[in-house]
């Protein structure tokens, strides 16, 4: 339980604590269950979610947030504009990276900064069952955790798993990271030393689970995309935590 919610306020809000005084911004209701708020944030900035009629999140995307206390979280990725979302039915708190001017979703720039998106099979969010397949507009957004570094931490689950946080399928991967929720691709992926124990790159360039390998169901893995050498030289690494 990371965030507590006041019992007298049915609309979630974000409490954006600074060194001076907190600012409280109410989230905008998108439909019956979904709320969102767009904020300019800095890496490590502390946020607290209020309202929501005692809504306690069942899952918070760890690529974007880490627990700072019993009632607050810190932003994991680099400074930027983010769309924070809360679903009161599923109790999922998530986020997307936006362009600096808020005009749409961030893309991977030529300088290696922005956001990347996994499209294909094997990775879904908030659960493996949510894998996008080849539907580009459902691409899984991965934020920039450090300059040119994009990191996703998840548990492994069976195909079709609806368990929140089990975002990596134990097998059956076939997909790529793209610069946007479209077909703007990167160069040929290479694997960092040791990653061949988990992944392989198919002849068509897709990322797959290595032959004969099955991820351990329930175990946590960290998948990292490194474009510090350029978008045309992307390097993948994967470790079991």
């Amino acid at each position: 339980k990371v965030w507590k919610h006041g019992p007298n306020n049915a609309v979630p809000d974000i409490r954006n604590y600074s060194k001076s005084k907190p600012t409280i911004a109410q989230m905008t209701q998108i439909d019956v269950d979904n709320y969102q708020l767009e904020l300019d944030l800095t890496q490590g900035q502390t946020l607290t979610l209020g309202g929501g009629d005692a809504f306690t999140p069942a899952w918070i995307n760890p690529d974007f947030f880490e627990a700072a206390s019993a009632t607050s979280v810190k932003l994991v990725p680099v400074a930027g504009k983010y769309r924070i979302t809360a679903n009161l039915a599923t109790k999922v708190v998530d986020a997307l990276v936006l362009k600096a001017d808020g005009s749409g979703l961030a893309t991977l720039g030529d300088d290696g900064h922005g956001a990347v998106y996994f499209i294909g099979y094997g990775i879904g969010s908030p659960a493996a069952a949510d894998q996008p397949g080849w539907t580009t507009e459902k691409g899984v957004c991965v934020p920039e955790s450090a300059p040119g570094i994009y990191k996703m931490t998840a548990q492994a689950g069976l195909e079709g798993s609806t368990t929140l946080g089990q975002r990596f399928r134990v097998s059956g991967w076939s997909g790529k990271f793209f610069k946007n929720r479209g077909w703007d691709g990167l160069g040929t992926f290479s694997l960092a030393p040791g990653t061949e124990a988990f992944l392989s790159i198919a002849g068509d360039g897709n990322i797959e689970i290595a032959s004969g390998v099955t991820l351990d169901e329930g175990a946590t893995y960290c998948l990292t995309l490194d474009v510090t050498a350029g978008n045309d030289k992307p390097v993948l690494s994967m470790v079991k935590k």
Side-chain angles (χ1 to χ4, degrees), residues 63 78 107-109 111-119 123 140-153 168 173 175-180 184-192 195 199 201 205-207 221-239:
D63 304 335
V78 300
T107 60
L108 182 65
D111 58 3
H113 301 304
V116 296
Y117 301 85
F118 179 85
I119 300 172
I123 298 177
V140 178
C141 179
V142 182
E144 188 177 11
S145 61
I149 303 294
Y150 298 83
K151 189 175 295 185
M152 186 175 187
T153 302
F168 293 162
W173 289 31
K176 295 179 180 179
F177 286 102
F178 291 86
K179 297 178 183 178
N180 56 11
D184 192 359
L186 303 169
T188 301
F189 295 98
S190 63
L191 301 179
T195 301
L199 303 177
I201 305 302
N206 284 352
I207 303 164
Y221 296 84
C222 182
L223 176 64
T224 302
L225 172 67
D226 183 340
V227 294
T228 55
N231 294 345
D232 58 340
K233 298 177 181 177
V235 180
L236 290 168
S237 64
M238 190 173 198
V239 296

Side-chain angles (χ1 to χ4, degrees), residues 62-117:
D63 304 335
F64 289 91
F65 308 109
E66 66 179 4
S69 71
T71 59
S72 62
V73 296
K74 288 185 178 181
L75 184 75
V76 171
V78 300
K81 183 178 287 290
Y82 294 89
R83 178 182 297 153
I84 302 172
T85 61
N87 184 302
L88 300 190
T90 62
K91 296 181 170 58
V92 166
V93 174
D94 211 334
L96 291 167
V97 188
L98 301 178
K99 294 178 180 178
D101 62 3
S103 62
L105 296 181
T107 60
L108 182 65
D110 292 340
D111 58 3
H113 301 304
V116 296
Y117 301 85

Side-chain angles (χ1 to χ4, degrees), residues 33-64:
D33 293 318
N34 290 286
Y35 294 77
Q36 69 180 39
L37 180 65
E38 297 178 2
L39 291 173
D40 291 300
L41 301 172
T42 57
Q43 193 167 36
Q45 187 166 351
T46 301
L47 304 172
T48 297
L49 183 67
D53 247 353
F55 159 66
T56 299
W59 183 77
I60 301 168
N61 191 329
D63 304 335
F64 289 91

